Coordinates of all heavy atoms in Angstrom, one line a residue:
M236 N 6.7 22.7 7.7 CA 7.0 21.5 8.5 C 6.3 20.3 7.8 O 5.1 20.4 7.5 CB 6.4 21.7 9.9 CG 6.4 20.6 10.8 SD 6.0 20.9 12.5 CE 4.9 22.3 12.5
P237 N 7.1 19.3 7.5 CA 6.5 18.2 6.7 C 5.6 17.3 7.6 O 5.9 17.2 8.8 CB 7.7 17.4 6.3 CG 8.7 17.7 7.2 CD 8.5 19.2 7.7
K238 N 4.6 16.7 7.1 CA 3.8 15.7 7.8 C 4.5 14.4 7.9 O 5.2 14.0 6.9 CB 2.5 15.5 7.1 CG 1.5 16.6 7.3 CD 0.1 16.3 6.9 CE -0.8 17.4 7.2 NZ -2.2 17.1 7.0
I239 N 4.4 13.7 9.0 CA 5.0 12.4 9.2 C 3.9 11.4 9.4 O 2.8 11.8 9.9 CB 6.1 12.4 10.3 CG1 5.4 12.7 11.6 CG2 7.3 13.2 10.0 CD1 6.3 12.4 12.8
R240 N 4.1 10.2 9.0 CA 3.1 9.2 9.3 C 3.5 8.4 10.5 O 4.6 7.9 10.5 CB 3.0 8.3 8.1 CG 1.9 7.2 8.2 CD 1.5 6.7 6.9 NE 0.6 7.6 6.2 CZ 0.6 7.8 5.0 NH1 1.4 7.1 4.2 NH2 -0.2 8.8 4.4
L241 N 2.7 8.3 11.5 CA 2.9 7.5 12.7 C 2.2 6.2 12.7 O 1.1 6.1 12.1 CB 2.5 8.3 13.9 CG 3.1 9.7 14.1 CD1 2.3 10.5 15.1 CD2 4.6 9.6 14.5
Q242 N 2.8 5.3 13.3 CA 2.1 4.0 13.5 C 2.0 3.7 15.0 O 2.9 3.8 15.8 CB 2.9 2.9 12.9 CG 2.4 1.5 13.1 CD 3.1 0.4 12.3 OE1 3.5 0.7 11.2 NE2 3.3 -0.7 12.9
M243 N 0.8 3.4 15.5 CA 0.5 3.1 16.9 C 0.1 1.7 17.1 O -0.6 1.1 16.3 CB -0.5 4.1 17.3 CG -0.1 5.5 17.4 SD -1.5 6.7 17.7 CE -1.8 7.2 16.0
A244 N 0.5 1.1 18.2 CA 0.2 -0.3 18.5 C 0.1 -0.4 20.0 O 0.3 0.5 20.7 CB 1.3 -1.2 17.9
P245 N -0.2 -1.6 20.6 CA 0.0 -2.9 20.1 C -1.3 -3.7 19.7 O -1.2 -4.4 18.8 CB 0.6 -3.6 21.3 CG 0.0 -2.9 22.5 CD -0.3 -1.5 22.0
E246 N -2.4 -3.5 20.4 CA -3.6 -4.4 20.2 C -4.3 -4.0 18.9 O -5.0 -4.8 18.3 CB -4.5 -4.3 21.4 CG -3.9 -4.8 22.7 CD -3.4 -6.3 22.6 OE1 -4.2 -7.1 21.9 OE2 -2.4 -6.6 23.1
M247 N -4.3 -2.7 18.6 CA -4.9 -2.3 17.4 C -3.9 -1.3 16.7 O -3.2 -0.5 17.3 CB -6.1 -1.4 17.8 CG -6.8 -0.8 16.6 SD -8.1 0.4 16.9 CE -9.0 -0.3 18.4
E248 N -3.7 -1.5 15.4 CA -2.8 -0.7 14.7 C -3.5 0.5 14.0 O -4.5 0.2 13.3 CB -2.1 -1.6 13.7 CG -0.8 -0.8 13.1 CD 0.0 -1.8 12.2 OE1 0.5 -2.8 12.8 OE2 0.1 -1.6 11.1
L249 N -3.1 1.7 14.2 CA -3.7 2.8 13.7 C -2.6 3.7 12.9 O -1.5 3.6 13.3 CB -4.3 3.7 14.7 CG -5.3 3.0 15.7 CD1 -5.6 3.9 16.9 CD2 -6.6 2.8 14.9
K250 N -3.0 4.3 11.9 CA -2.1 5.2 11.2 C -2.7 6.6 11.3 O -3.8 6.8 11.2 CB -2.1 4.8 9.7 CG -1.8 3.4 9.4 CD -0.4 3.0 9.6 CE -0.2 1.5 9.2 NZ 1.2 1.1 9.1
M251 N -1.8 7.6 11.4 CA -2.2 9.0 11.5 C -1.1 9.9 10.9 O 0.1 9.7 11.3 CB -2.4 9.3 13.0 CG -2.8 10.7 13.3 SD -3.2 10.9 15.1 CE -1.7 10.9 15.9
D252 N -1.5 10.8 10.1 CA -0.5 11.8 9.6 C -0.6 13.0 10.5 O -1.7 13.5 10.9 CB -0.9 12.3 8.2 CG -0.7 11.2 7.1 OD1 0.2 10.3 7.3 OD2 -1.3 11.3 6.0
L253 N 0.6 13.5 10.9 CA 0.6 14.5 11.9 C 1.9 15.4 11.7 O 3.0 14.8 11.5 CB 0.6 13.9 13.3 CG 0.7 14.8 14.5 CD1 -0.6 15.7 14.6 CD2 0.9 14.0 15.8
D254 N 1.7 16.7 11.8 CA 2.9 17.6 11.8 C 3.5 17.6 13.2 O 2.8 17.9 14.2 CB 2.5 19.0 11.4 CG 2.1 19.2 10.0 OD1 2.7 18.5 9.2 OD2 1.2 20.0 9.7
V255 N 4.8 17.2 13.2 CA 5.5 17.3 14.5 C 6.8 18.1 14.3 O 7.6 17.7 13.5 CB 5.9 15.8 15.0 CG1 6.7 15.8 16.3 CG2 4.6 15.0 15.2
E256 N 6.9 19.2 15.0 CA 8.0 20.1 14.9 C 9.3 19.4 15.1 O 9.5 18.7 16.1 CB 7.8 21.2 15.8 CG 8.9 22.3 15.5 CD 8.6 23.6 16.4 OE1 7.4 23.8 16.9 OE2 9.5 24.3 16.7
G257 N 10.3 19.6 14.2 CA 11.6 19.0 14.3 C 11.7 17.6 14.0 O 12.8 17.0 14.2
V258 N 10.7 17.0 13.4 CA 10.8 15.6 13.1 C 10.3 15.4 11.6 O 9.4 16.0 11.2 CB 9.7 14.8 14.0 CG1 9.7 13.3 13.5 CG2 10.1 14.9 15.4
D259 N 11.1 14.6 10.9 CA 10.8 14.3 9.5 C 10.9 12.8 9.3 O 11.2 12.1 10.2 CB 11.6 15.1 8.5 CG 13.1 14.9 8.7 OD1 13.5 13.7 9.0 OD2 13.9 15.8 8.4
I260 N 10.7 12.4 8.0 CA 10.7 11.0 7.7 C 12.1 10.3 8.0 O 12.2 9.1 8.2 CB 10.3 10.7 6.3 CG1 9.9 9.3 6.0 CG2 11.4 11.3 5.3 CD1 8.7 8.8 6.8
D261 N 13.2 11.1 8.1 CA 14.5 10.6 8.4 C 14.8 10.5 9.8 O 15.9 10.0 10.2 CB 15.6 11.4 7.6 CG 15.4 11.3 6.1 OD1 15.1 10.1 5.6 OD2 15.6 12.3 5.4
S262 N 13.9 11.0 10.7 CA 14.2 10.9 12.2 C 14.1 9.6 12.7 O 13.5 8.7 12.1 CB 13.1 11.8 12.8 OG 13.2 13.2 12.5
R263 N 14.6 9.4 13.9 CA 14.6 8.1 14.6 C 13.3 8.0 15.4 O 12.7 9.0 15.7 CB 15.8 7.9 15.5 CG 17.1 8.0 14.8 CD 18.2 8.1 15.9 NE 18.0 9.3 16.7 CZ 18.7 9.5 17.9 NH1 19.5 8.6 18.4 NH2 18.4 10.6 18.6
D264 N 12.8 6.8 15.7 CA 11.7 6.6 16.5 C 11.9 7.3 17.8 O 10.9 8.0 18.4 CB 11.4 5.1 16.8 CG 10.6 4.5 15.6 OD1 10.0 5.2 14.8 OD2 10.5 3.2 15.6
W265 N 13.1 7.3 18.4 CA 13.3 7.9 19.7 C 13.0 9.4 19.6 O 12.4 10.0 20.5 CB 14.8 7.7 20.1 CG 15.1 8.2 21.5 CD1 14.9 7.6 22.7 CD2 15.6 9.5 21.8 NE1 15.3 8.3 23.7 CE2 15.7 9.6 23.2 CE3 15.9 10.6 21.1 CZ2 16.1 10.7 23.9 CZ3 16.3 11.8 21.7 CH2 16.5 11.8 23.2
D266 N 13.4 10.1 18.5 CA 13.1 11.5 18.3 C 11.6 11.8 18.3 O 11.1 12.7 18.9 CB 13.8 12.0 17.0 CG 15.2 11.9 17.0 OD1 15.9 12.1 18.1 OD2 15.8 11.5 15.9
V267 N 10.9 10.9 17.7 CA 9.4 11.1 17.6 C 8.8 10.8 18.9 O 7.9 11.5 19.4 CB 8.8 10.1 16.6 CG1 7.3 10.2 16.5 CG2 9.4 10.4 15.2
Q268 N 9.3 9.9 19.7 CA 8.7 9.5 21.0 C 8.9 10.6 22.0 O 8.2 10.6 23.0 CB 9.3 8.2 21.5 CG 8.8 7.0 20.6 CD 9.6 5.8 20.8 OE1 10.5 5.7 21.5 NE2 9.2 4.7 20.0
Q269 N 9.7 11.6 21.7 CA 9.9 12.8 22.6 C 8.7 13.7 22.6 O 8.5 14.6 23.4 CB 11.2 13.5 22.3 CG 12.5 12.7 22.4 CD 12.5 11.9 23.7 OE1 12.6 12.4 24.8 NE2 12.6 10.6 23.5
H270 N 7.8 13.4 21.6 CA 6.6 14.2 21.4 C 5.4 13.4 21.8 O 4.3 13.6 21.3 CB 6.5 14.6 19.9 CG 7.6 15.6 19.6 ND1 7.6 16.9 19.7 CD2 8.8 15.2 19.0 CE1 8.7 17.4 19.2 NE2 9.5 16.4 18.8
K271 N 5.5 12.5 22.8 CA 4.4 11.6 23.1 C 3.1 12.4 23.5 O 2.1 12.0 23.1 CB 4.8 10.7 24.3 CG 3.8 9.7 24.6 CD 4.2 8.7 25.6 CE 3.2 7.6 25.8 NZ 3.7 6.5 26.6
A272 N 3.3 13.4 24.3 CA 2.1 14.1 24.8 C 1.4 14.8 23.6 O 0.2 14.7 23.5 CB 2.5 15.2 25.8
E273 N 2.1 15.4 22.7 CA 1.5 16.0 21.5 C 0.8 15.0 20.6 O -0.3 15.2 20.2 CB 2.6 16.7 20.8 CG 2.2 17.4 19.5 CD 3.4 18.0 18.8 OE1 4.5 18.0 19.3 OE2 3.2 18.4 17.6
V274 N 1.5 13.8 20.4 CA 0.9 12.8 19.5 C -0.4 12.2 20.2 O -1.4 12.1 19.6 CB 1.9 11.7 19.3 CG1 1.3 10.5 18.6 CG2 3.1 12.2 18.4
Y275 N -0.3 12.0 21.5 CA -1.4 11.4 22.2 C -2.6 12.3 22.2 O -3.8 12.0 22.1 CB -1.1 10.9 23.6 CG -2.2 10.2 24.3 CD1 -2.5 8.9 24.0 CD2 -3.1 10.9 25.1 CE1 -3.7 8.2 24.5 CE2 -4.2 10.3 25.7 CZ -4.5 8.9 25.3 OH -5.6 8.3 25.9
T276 N -2.4 13.6 22.5 CA -3.5 14.6 22.5 C -4.2 14.6 21.2 O -5.4 14.7 21.1 CB -2.8 16.0 22.8 OG1 -2.2 16.0 24.1 CG2 -3.9 17.1 22.7
E277 N -3.5 14.6 20.0 CA -4.1 14.6 18.7 C -4.9 13.3 18.5 O -6.0 13.3 18.0 CB -3.1 14.9 17.6 CG -3.7 14.8 16.2 CD -4.7 15.8 15.9 OE1 -4.9 16.8 16.7 OE2 -5.5 15.6 14.9
F278 N -4.3 12.1 18.9 CA -4.9 10.9 18.8 C -6.2 10.9 19.6 O -7.3 10.5 19.1 CB -4.0 9.8 19.3 CG -4.6 8.4 19.6 CD1 -5.0 7.7 18.5 CD2 -4.8 8.0 20.8 CE1 -5.7 6.4 18.7 CE2 -5.4 6.8 21.1 CZ -5.8 6.0 20.0
E279 N -6.2 11.3 20.8 CA -7.4 11.4 21.7 C -8.4 12.3 21.1 O -9.6 11.9 21.1 CB -6.9 11.9 23.1 CG -8.1 11.8 24.1 CD -7.6 12.2 25.5 OE1 -6.9 13.3 25.6 OE2 -7.9 11.5 26.4
R280 N -8.0 13.4 20.5 CA -9.0 14.4 19.9 C -9.7 13.6 18.8 O -10.9 13.7 18.7 CB -8.3 15.6 19.4 CG -9.3 16.6 18.8 CD -8.5 17.7 18.0 NE -7.9 17.2 16.8 CZ -8.6 17.0 15.7 NH1 -10.0 17.1 15.6 NH2 -8.0 16.6 14.6
R281 N -9.0 12.9 17.9 CA -9.6 12.3 16.8 C -10.5 11.1 17.3 O -11.6 10.9 16.7 CB -8.5 11.7 15.9 CG -7.8 12.8 15.1 CD -6.7 12.3 14.3 NE -5.9 13.4 13.7 CZ -5.1 13.1 12.6 NH1 -5.1 11.9 12.0 NH2 -4.3 14.2 12.1
M282 N -10.1 10.4 18.3 CA -10.8 9.3 18.8 C -12.2 9.8 19.4 O -13.2 9.2 19.2 CB -10.1 8.4 19.7 CG -8.9 7.7 19.1 SD -9.4 6.6 17.7 CE -10.1 5.3 18.6
K283 N -12.1 10.9 20.2 CA -13.3 11.5 20.8 C -14.3 11.9 19.7 O -15.5 11.8 19.9 CB -12.9 12.6 21.7 CG -12.4 12.1 23.0 CD -12.1 13.3 24.0 CE -11.5 12.7 25.3 NZ -11.2 13.8 26.2
E284 N -13.7 12.4 18.6 CA -14.6 12.9 17.5 C -15.3 11.7 16.9 O -16.4 11.7 16.5 CB -13.8 13.6 16.5 CG -14.5 14.3 15.4 CD -13.6 15.1 14.5 OE1 -13.0 16.1 15.0 OE2 -13.5 14.7 13.3
A285 N -14.5 10.6 16.7 CA -15.1 9.3 16.1 C -16.0 8.6 17.0 O -16.9 8.0 16.6 CB -13.9 8.4 15.6
F286 N -15.7 8.6 18.3 CA -16.4 7.8 19.3 C -16.9 8.8 20.5 O -16.3 8.7 21.6 CB -15.6 6.7 19.9 CG -15.2 5.7 18.8 CD1 -13.9 5.8 18.3 CD2 -16.0 4.8 18.3 CE1 -13.4 4.9 17.4 CE2 -15.6 3.9 17.3 CZ -14.3 3.9 16.8
P287 N -17.9 9.6 20.2 CA -18.3 10.6 21.3 C -18.9 9.9 22.5 O -18.9 10.6 23.6 CB -19.4 11.4 20.6 CG -19.8 10.6 19.4 CD -18.7 9.7 19.0
E288 N -19.2 8.6 22.4 CA -19.8 7.9 23.6 C -18.6 7.6 24.6 O -18.9 7.4 25.7 CB -20.4 6.6 23.2 CG -21.5 6.7 22.3 CD -21.0 6.8 20.8 OE1 -19.9 6.7 20.5 OE2 -21.9 7.0 19.9
G289 N -17.4 7.7 24.1 CA -16.3 7.5 25.0 C -15.4 6.3 24.6 O -15.8 5.4 23.8
L290 N -14.2 6.2 25.1 CA -13.3 5.1 24.8 C -12.2 5.0 26.0 O -12.1 6.0 26.8 CB -12.6 5.3 23.5 CG -11.6 6.4 23.4 CD1 -10.3 6.0 22.7 CD2 -12.2 7.6 22.7
R291 N -11.6 3.9 26.1 CA -10.6 3.7 27.1 C -9.3 3.2 26.4 O -9.4 2.2 25.7 CB -11.0 2.8 28.2 CG -9.9 2.6 29.3 CD -10.4 1.8 30.4 NE -11.5 2.5 31.0 CZ -12.3 2.0 31.9 NH1 -12.3 0.7 32.2 NH2 -13.3 2.8 32.4
V292 N -8.1 3.8 26.6 CA -6.9 3.4 26.1 C -6.1 2.8 27.2 O -5.8 3.5 28.2 CB -6.1 4.6 25.4 CG1 -4.8 4.1 24.9 CG2 -7.0 5.2 24.3
H293 N -5.7 1.6 27.1 CA -5.0 0.9 28.2 C -3.5 1.1 28.0 O -2.7 1.1 29.0 CB -5.3 -0.5 28.3 CG -6.7 -0.8 28.7 ND1 -7.1 -0.7 30.0 CD2 -7.8 -1.0 28.0 CE1 -8.4 -0.9 30.1 NE2 -8.9 -1.1 28.9
S294 N -3.0 1.1 26.8 CA -1.6 1.3 26.5 C -1.4 2.1 25.2 O -2.4 2.1 24.4 CB -0.8 0.0 26.5 OG -1.3 -0.8 25.5
F295 N -0.3 2.7 25.1 CA -0.1 3.5 23.9 C 1.4 3.5 23.5 O 2.2 3.9 24.3 CB -0.6 5.0 24.2 CG -0.4 5.9 23.2 CD1 -1.3 6.0 22.1 CD2 0.6 6.9 23.1 CE1 -1.3 6.9 21.0 CE2 0.7 7.8 22.0 CZ -0.2 7.8 21.0
E296 N 1.7 3.0 22.4 CA 3.0 3.0 21.8 C 3.0 3.5 20.4 O 2.0 3.3 19.7 CB 3.6 1.5 21.9 CG 3.7 0.9 23.2 CD 4.1 -0.6 23.1 OE1 4.9 -0.9 22.1 OE2 3.8 -1.3 24.0
F297 N 4.0 4.1 20.0 CA 4.0 4.6 18.6 C 5.5 4.9 18.2 O 6.4 4.9 18.9 CB 3.2 5.9 18.6 CG 3.9 7.1 19.2 CD1 4.7 8.0 18.5 CD2 3.7 7.3 20.6 CE1 5.3 9.1 19.2 CE2 4.4 8.4 21.2 CZ 5.1 9.2 20.5
G298 N 5.6 5.0 16.8 CA 6.8 5.3 16.2 C 6.6 5.7 14.8 O 5.4 5.6 14.3
L299 N 7.6 6.0 14.1 CA 7.4 6.4 12.7 C 7.0 5.2 11.9 O 7.4 4.1 12.1 CB 8.8 6.9 12.1 CG 9.1 8.3 12.4 CD1 10.6 8.5 11.8 CD2 8.2 9.3 11.8
D300 N 6.0 5.4 11.0 CA 5.6 4.3 10.2 C 6.5 4.2 9.0 O 6.7 5.2 8.3 CB 4.1 4.6 9.7 CG 3.6 3.5 8.8 OD1 4.1 2.4 8.9 OD2 2.7 3.8 8.0
R301 N 7.0 3.1 8.7 CA 8.0 2.9 7.6 C 7.3 2.3 6.3 O 7.9 2.0 5.4 CB 9.1 1.9 8.0 CG 9.9 2.4 9.2 CD 10.6 3.7 8.9 NE 11.3 4.1 10.1 CZ 11.9 5.3 10.3 NH1 11.8 6.1 9.3 NH2 12.5 5.6 11.4
G302 N 6.0 2.2 6.4 CA 5.2 1.8 5.2 C 3.9 1.3 5.5 O 3.6 0.7 6.6
W303 N 2.9 1.4 4.6 CA 1.6 1.0 4.8 C 1.6 -0.5 4.6 O 2.2 -1.1 3.7 CB 0.6 1.6 3.8 CG 0.3 3.0 4.1 CD1 1.0 4.1 3.7 CD2 -0.7 3.5 5.0 NE1 0.4 5.2 4.2 CE2 -0.6 4.9 5.0 CE3 -1.7 2.9 5.7 CZ2 -1.5 5.7 5.8 CZ3 -2.5 3.6 6.5 CH2 -2.4 5.0 6.5
H304 N 0.7 -1.2 5.4 CA 0.5 -2.6 5.1 C -0.4 -2.7 3.9 O -1.2 -1.8 3.6 CB -0.3 -3.2 6.4 CG 0.6 -3.2 7.6 ND1 1.7 -4.1 7.7 CD2 0.6 -2.4 8.6 CE1 2.2 -3.8 8.9 NE2 1.6 -2.8 9.5
E305 N -0.2 -3.8 3.2 CA -1.0 -3.9 1.9 C -2.4 -3.7 2.0 O -3.1 -3.1 1.2 CB -0.6 -5.3 1.3 CG 0.8 -5.4 0.8 CD 1.1 -6.8 0.2 OE1 0.1 -7.5 -0.1 OE2 2.3 -7.0 0.0
E306 N -3.0 -4.3 3.1 CA -4.5 -4.2 3.2 C -5.0 -2.8 3.6 O -6.1 -2.5 3.5 CB -5.0 -5.3 4.2 CG -4.6 -5.1 5.6 CD -3.2 -5.7 5.9 OE1 -2.6 -6.2 5.0 OE2 -2.9 -5.8 7.2
L307 N -4.1 -1.9 4.1 CA -4.5 -0.6 4.4 C -4.1 0.5 3.4 O -4.4 1.6 3.5 CB -3.8 -0.2 5.8 CG -4.3 -1.0 6.9 CD1 -3.5 -0.6 8.2 CD2 -5.7 -0.9 7.2
Q308 N -3.4 0.0 2.3 CA -2.9 0.9 1.3 C -4.0 1.6 0.5 O -5.0 1.0 0.2 CB -2.0 0.2 0.3 CG -1.2 1.1 -0.6 CD -0.2 0.3 -1.4 OE1 -0.1 -0.9 -1.3 NE2 0.6 1.0 -2.2
E309 N -3.9 2.9 0.3 CA -4.9 3.7 -0.4 C -4.8 3.4 -1.9 O -3.8 3.2 -2.4 CB -4.7 5.2 -0.2 CG -4.9 5.6 1.2 CD -4.7 7.1 1.4 OE1 -4.6 7.8 0.4 OE2 -4.7 7.5 2.6
E310 N -6.0 3.3 -2.5 CA -6.1 3.1 -3.9 C -5.6 4.4 -4.6 O -5.9 5.5 -4.2 CB -7.5 2.8 -4.4 CG -8.1 1.6 -3.7 CD -7.5 0.3 -4.3 OE1 -7.2 0.3 -5.5 OE2 -7.4 -0.7 -3.6
E311 N -4.8 4.2 -5.7 CA -4.4 5.4 -6.5 C -5.2 5.6 -7.7 O -5.7 4.7 -8.3 CB -2.9 5.2 -6.8 CG -2.0 5.3 -5.5 CD -0.5 5.3 -5.9 OE1 -0.2 5.5 -7.1 OE2 0.2 5.1 -5.0

């Protein structure tokens, strides 16, 4: 199963690589959004690990990331 890169927004933009069954880089955002519970569970797990004191998420939107923003691009 290939890893896909997701982009989450609106107030803070986050990037996350995640294996999602039946979804690949050519899938539509709608296809990815059918896995909202799975994506949110992994997002929440990672955030709790990073912020053990707690956090609150007021809204959650996501879709396939079509490219890294220049300032977030990894050095090669």
